[in-house]
Structures are given as structure tokens and as C-alpha cells.
Amino acid sequence: MAGTDTSKQFVFRPTPAIILVEPQLGENIGAAARAMANFGLWDLRLVNPRDGWPNEKAVAAASKADHVIERVKVFATLSEAVADLTYVLATTARGREMFKPVIGPDAAAEKLAAHIGAGRHGGVLFGRERWGLTNEEVAIADAIVTLPVEPAFASLNIAQAVLVLAYEWRRVTLSGEPLPIEEDLGEAAPRDQVIGLVEQLGEALDRAGFFKSPNKRPGMMDNMHSMFAKASFNAQEVRTLRGVVAALDRRHERPNPTRRRRGE
């Protein structure tokens, strides 16, 4: 979804740290920052990024997620990046032959929410674009997070993986918050307006010769009343439909441009 409401202030709530281990492309760092900002995360940590930091391509790809980019922390080693964390998850799509819990993104978000909600710090590790995390890096984590992807094509772009985890975090921790845009169903149409619409339609159909058999008219009108009642139109929709019916009913009163061109 394009567009950003710059009038709203970002809220820096306690959230998991997102740790990218030796990311290679600035574009991926920026896209990950944007995904984080979309769902309220802001603590982005980079371990030995290949092209250094700051990175202009990352800034461009972040699409104004400045509050994330400006707070990026760079570390020389993974152990330094996770030093303050007491719960760490490692993302991978490959079996590692380790005795570690393997959980999905929904369970990961729930565990992180409980841990961080208790005043502690947690984070998620994401590996290199080409080969992910090493076994040694996965080994320091408390659990493995894997996404329910298609086994025949399990590789995700880093930013895509960050987006999934960030979304699950938001869903778990802020499920009671309203959506960013409000539903507008309009003013419900009073029943007499809906009845009037159907009666107007019935009269127009009479003039059009729709009811071939007069004795079937009552039953067909009942069916139309039932259909329109189920539609739950708002007042504006009823007014629009009444205008449509009226326009169609008066079409014989208007000159036919096709006939005029033919000289009929």
C-alpha cells in the first residue's frame, strides 16, 4: 500500500531487535527497515554489513523509514549484537540437526511478546542473502523460527522474512487496536426507502411489459422485496438506484441519436 501519513507520530514501544548478519545489499537493509516501520519495530542491528554503513541505497529503499535508519546499530560480531538480549530466535528454512525447538512465526511472536512484555529484551536473527545463518550462529539462539513456505521453494528475501515476523509481532501485541482506516458504510437506508425503491422498480417494469402474466406479479415482487432487503443498502445507494430506475424508465422520452443520424 503506497502513501504515508506523516501527520501521525511513530510510537517507540518495546519491540524485538531485528539483527541482520552480514547483509550484502543496501537495498535489502532498507527494505527490511521499511517492513519494520510498517509494523512498529525500530531496533535494527547490522553485523558486519558488506558495504559498510551508512549506505545510500539502504536509505533510498527504506522509503522514509528514517526513524529506523537513523537508529541502526552496527556491530563487528554477532556476540556483540546480541549481548543485551535474553531471548534470541534464529530464522532458517534448513534443518540444522540441533536439539532446539522449531516454531512458526506466530508462535515466535507470542514468545517474544511474553518475554518483552515482562521487561526483558529479545531479538530475531536473519542471515545472509546467499546462504543464511551458519550453524554456529544458529547455535547461540534459544529456538529456530521457520516459515510455512513451499518446501520446493523455501528461500525468502531477507526483507520478506522480516515483514512476516514484524506482522506477526504486530498482530499479537496490538490486536485490539483499530485499523489505520475506518470503515464507512454510510447511513443505513430506512426500510421505507428500500420499499419505495422496489415499488418504483415494479412500476417501471410494468411499463416495460416485464410481467407477462399478471398473476405472477405479486410473487415476483415479493422476491424482489426479499432480495433488496438482504442487500443492506445505505441511504445514498438507494437514492442512486432510484435515479437509475427513473433514468431507464424515461429513456423513451429522449431522442435516439442513432435514429437521428439515420434520418428516421
Side-chain angles (χ1 to χ4, degrees):
M1 295 183 291
T4 301
D5 186 350
T6 55
S7 66
K8 295 184 179 179
Q9 192 70 26
F10 185 86
V11 179
F12 289 92
R13 300 180 178 91
T15 65
I18 298 298
I19 303 130
L20 307 186
V21 180
E22 296 186 354
Q24 297 167 283
L25 299 176
E27 293 89 340
N28 285 335
I29 298 172
R34 180 178 182 177
M36 292 171 61
N38 286 148
F39 295 103
L41 278 66
W42 52 269
D43 184 358
L44 177 58
R45 306 180 183 189
L46 309 179
V47 178
N48 192 26
R50 184 190 67 181
D51 297 334
W53 191 262
N55 185 300
E56 291 183 3
K57 292 182 178 179
V59 173
S63 296
K64 300 183 180 180
D66 299 334
H67 57 287
V68 179
I69 292 294
E70 291 168 358
R71 289 171 174 78
V72 167
K73 298 175 184 175
V74 180
F75 300 87
T77 66
L78 177 58
S79 60
E80 292 173 320
V82 300
D84 63 325
L85 306 181
T86 50
Y87 185 69
V88 177
L89 299 173
T91 59
T92 181
R94 295 185 287 116
R96 301 297 182 133
E97 298 182 352
M98 295 181 186
F99 296 108
K100 284 186 180 296
V102 178
I103 57 178
D106 50 350
E110 291 169 0
K111 289 181 178 296
L112 283 166
H115 192 84
I116 294 172
R120 293 171 288 183
H121 302 290
V124 187
L125 307 181
F126 296 85
R128 304 151 188 84
E129 287 93 330
R130 294 186 64 183
W131 67 87
L133 297 167
T134 66
N135 282 354
E136 292 77 12
E137 290 160 349
V138 174
I140 71 167
D142 296 279
I144 289 172
V145 182
T146 192
L147 277 57
V149 294
E150 169 57 47
F153 196 76
S155 177
L156 262 72
N157 173 274
I158 291 175
Q160 292 173 327
V162 170
L163 182 73
V164 172
L165 268 297
Y167 165 78
E168 289 292 347
W169 164 264
R170 183 86 176 186
R171 182 186 61 80
V172 168
T173 58
L174 297 173
S175 59
E177 288 209 348
L179 293 171
I181 58 174
E182 296 181 358
E183 183 178 65
D184 183 8
L185 298 178
E187 176 191 356
R191 191 47 48 104
D192 65 330
Q193 290 185 13
V194 180
I195 292 172
L197 165 63
V198 177
E199 294 300 330
Q200 178 188 359
L201 177 59
E203 292 168 4
L205 291 173
D206 282 331
R207 288 186 284 273
F210 176 77
F211 300 108
K212 303 299 182 183
S213 176
N215 63 330
K216 290 185 178 180
R217 187 185 192 282
M220 296 181 75
M221 288 297 297
D222 288 343
N223 286 336
M224 283 194 285
H225 276 292
S226 179
M227 286 188 293
F228 278 76
K230 287 189 291 186
S232 299
F233 290 123
N234 63 39
Q236 179 58 54
E237 290 168 337
V238 170
R239 288 192 292 271
T240 299
L241 286 171
R242 296 200 70 157
V244 169
V245 173
L248 292 173
D249 196 27
R250 293 193 305 270
R251 63 181 177 178
H252 64 281
E253 300 173 1
R254 298 191 298 271
N256 187 318
T258 302
R259 291 182 176 179
R260 220 173 22 231
R261 285 197 299 269
R262 291 177 187 166
E264 296 177 8

